[in-house]
Amino acid sequence: MAAHFSGLPVPEGRSAFNDVHELRAGEILSIDAAGARSRHLAVPATAMDDYSDTTGSVDAFRELFDQAVADRLPSLGPAAIMLSGGMDSGPAAESAARQLRKHGESLHPVSWRLPDFPEADESHWIRILCRHLRLKPQWIDPQHLPFGQLDGSMVSPDWPSFNAFRHLVNACYREAAESGCSVILNGNAGDNLYMPLHLLYRGYALDGDWRLIRRDLAHIFGRGGLRALASHPPIRHLLGRFRPRRGKSRMPEWLLPSVRPDWHLAQEGQPGFDEHSLPEYAAQLLGPRMTGGRCHEQYFAGLHGIERRDPFQDENVVGFMLGAPASMSVRDGRTKWIIREATRGRLPDEFRLKQRTGLLNSYFLAGVRANREALARLLFEESPGWQHWVRPEFVRGVLAEPVGRHGFVLPRCVGYALWARHWGL
């Protein structure tokens, strides 16, 4: 629970119940007449020995990604995909549509429209992509704002996590199932595949790519001068490594002092990948961030009679990125560089080269503001058990004005409240 409320990955093997353990990433459980036993898969091997040929590396990645998509398509019948305007579901849609057509089957893209929140709405980009792929999108028009539905259907009995956009995601599952699909593809794991921006210069340096560091510095300076350089995540991260450390890491301010021992245990319980030159990146590819939440998500997809599959959650693709230089992730200011290159000629450049869109912050905040009274009633009257971990006054402040990183605390408290109410806790 300390991990849950502080935003840490759940320590491997733990669950929300005493004496009930979860399978760890890469662990296989075998059950037969002799009993139950488990074993670990080996860490995925890197797919290539030499990445120096950039064109060859892009071709190899394209082949691996196509195979990952193929492995997640149903053996018979059509498939659906939760389509956004980004460089995760877009490439997956292109690959899936092309491969399904070879077998006389079709791909059904489902997505939502948010015309009242222009910065969150990606329907423009989805239309561009669907026209290019000769697909007809199936649109979800939300029936209410985030937090507008606060009942047991919004959480899994297994874990107290709450997705403020659950009503939209579940509507996509329902629409896909009603279209006759047994599988829905999703690119949610795509962000975890690439080198995080704050580690970029460390990655470049380990690869000996000093020229790319100079080019990136020039690119950032050209966009925003010294102020942009000072706030650039790779620079801030490197400066932070030279800053003297003052004891242990600081606990999030919203946690109660009594949680401190459990919070430290949760930190220490994270898996280590010290054999990799960048352990933090290896943990991102192989640890709970890549595995945990998507396993729990199957509960909601299953309620609608459909199976959710993610092509980015693939051992061969992960193995490729595990050994790839940092320049395959970010180059010349362009994130997700390798998949943008791998889809050259497959996706329209207008889509392939665009910046990130579809940030849902405004939609989230509108939901909080519209449902403040219902949220306060749930959290402070009906199910206040979360207050064993989180400062009540902090959550009252978030309800009053949910800005910045503090806003993420609210869904965690709501998830715990609904989960505890389900179990009568």
Side-chain angles (χ1 to χ4, degrees):
M1 290 298 104
H4 168 72
F5 285 112
S6 61
L8 291 169
V10 178
E12 283 199 314
R14 301 294 185 94
S15 80
F17 303 94
N18 288 335
D19 302 320
V20 177
H21 299 278
E22 294 189 331
L23 289 176
R24 291 165 290 180
E27 185 178 5
I28 295 177
L29 179 69
S30 301
I31 304 174
D32 54 28
R37 57 202 172 278
S38 66
R39 64 182 178 88
H40 275 277
L41 289 171
V43 172
T46 55
M48 295 181 66
D49 296 323
D50 182 9
Y51 292 84
S52 59
D53 177 1
T54 301
T55 301
S57 296
V58 171
D59 290 344
F61 178 87
R62 183 189 298 112
E63 185 176 333
L64 288 172
F65 183 70
D66 278 341
Q67 187 59 53
V69 172
D71 290 344
R72 281 150 186 83
L73 294 174
S75 56
L76 293 172
I81 186 167
M82 292 178 64
L83 191 59
S84 72
M87 284 307 297
D88 299 319
S89 64
E94 187 281 328
S95 181
R98 177 167 34 82
Q99 297 189 65
L100 283 166
R101 285 191 181 112
K102 292 178 182 177
H103 304 287
E105 299 292 354
S106 57
L107 182 69
H108 296 264
V110 293
S111 190
W112 51 76
R113 295 181 286 199
L114 300 171
D116 295 333
F117 302 89
E119 66 279 13
D121 184 60
E122 291 194 286
S123 59
H124 167 72
W125 299 105
I126 293 167
R127 289 189 182 96
I128 289 173
L129 183 64
C130 286
R131 278 198 301 269
H132 178 79
L133 300 179
R134 294 178 286 120
L135 299 173
K136 183 179 179 181
Q138 297 169 235
W139 296 109
I140 305 295
D141 293 312
Q143 301 301 307
H144 52 75
L145 291 168
F147 302 103
Q149 187 175 354
L150 297 172
D151 57 44
S153 69
M154 295 289 102
V155 294
S156 162
D158 287 342
W159 188 242
S161 178
F162 176 84
N163 182 349
F165 313 111
R166 169 61 53 204
H167 60 296
L168 296 177
V169 177
N170 282 358
C172 288
Y173 295 152
R174 186 166 54 250
E175 185 71 28
E178 290 174 357
S179 298
C181 300
S182 60
V183 167
I184 185 166
L185 301 180
N186 185 278
N188 182 253
D191 284 341
N192 287 341
L193 202 63
Y194 307 99
M195 181 82 65
L197 198 55
H198 70 277
L199 295 179
L200 184 61
Y201 287 0
R202 285 175 63 191
Y204 283 165
L206 287 168
D207 301 328
D209 280 335
W210 304 103
R211 178 178 53 88
L212 287 178
I213 295 179
R214 292 194 298 271
R215 281 167 53 179
D216 190 65
L217 288 170
H219 173 77
I220 296 300
F221 182 79
R223 287 178 58 190
L226 290 174
R227 179 173 294 183
L229 283 178
S231 61
H232 195 33
I235 295 177
R236 290 171 55 194
H237 177 73
L238 287 176
L239 293 175
R241 288 171 62 83
F242 295 106
R243 195 176 298 138
R245 296 190 177 276
R246 299 178 180 177
K248 295 186 176 181
S249 302
R250 291 178 60 185
M251 186 173 73
E253 58 186 303
W254 52 84
L255 294 183
L256 290 166
S258 58
V259 179
R260 186 176 300 278
D262 291 320
W263 180 76
H264 282 303
L265 282 174
Q267 275 199 317
E268 294 163 4
Q270 301 307 314
F273 296 92
D274 293 337
E275 68 275 11
H276 193 271
S277 57
L278 278 175
E280 294 170 72
Y281 180 45
Q284 176 179 297
L285 285 169
L286 301 170
R289 276 188 60 185
M290 180 59 88
T291 58
R294 288 163 204 92
C295 300
H296 290 107
E297 186 62 28
Q298 289 294 357
Y299 167 79
F300 296 100
L303 290 178
H304 296 87
I306 200 164
E307 183 179 349
R308 173 170 158 154
R309 300 177 182 175
D310 194 322
F312 292 92
Q313 198 179 25
D314 179 86
E315 286 183 28
N316 293 323
V317 173
V318 165
F320 179 97
M321 296 304 294
L322 198 62
S327 59
M328 296 289 173
S329 293
V330 184
R331 187 181 296 197
D332 297 332
R334 203 173 297 286
T335 59
K336 303 185 179 182
W337 181 86
I338 193 167
I339 202 160
R340 295 180 193 273
E341 289 300 299
T343 52
R344 185 186 293 273
R346 291 185 172 191
L347 296 178
D349 283 353
E350 181 183 9
F351 184 96
R352 186 178 66 86
L353 301 178
K354 75 179 185 67
Q355 298 296 318
R356 185 174 182 182
T357 55
L359 298 177
L360 294 168
N361 303 41
S362 60
Y363 184 55
F364 175 92
L365 293 176
V368 175
R369 291 170 182 144
N371 295 290
R372 277 194 180 116
E373 292 184 8
L375 286 166
R377 190 162 52 249
L378 169 71
L379 294 174
F380 292 96
E381 297 175 20
E382 299 172 10
S383 188
W386 55 272
Q387 296 179 30
H388 290 296
W389 290 273
V390 178
R391 299 175 187 269
E393 66 275 14
F394 190 93
V395 175
R396 290 189 189 278
V398 171
L399 276 176
E401 193 54 46
V403 296
R405 70 189 184 97
H406 297 156
F408 98 99
V409 178
L410 183 61
R412 292 174 185 270
C413 295
V414 170
Y416 183 88
L418 295 175
W419 177 82
R421 189 167 70 183
H422 171 87
W423 289 107
L425 300 177

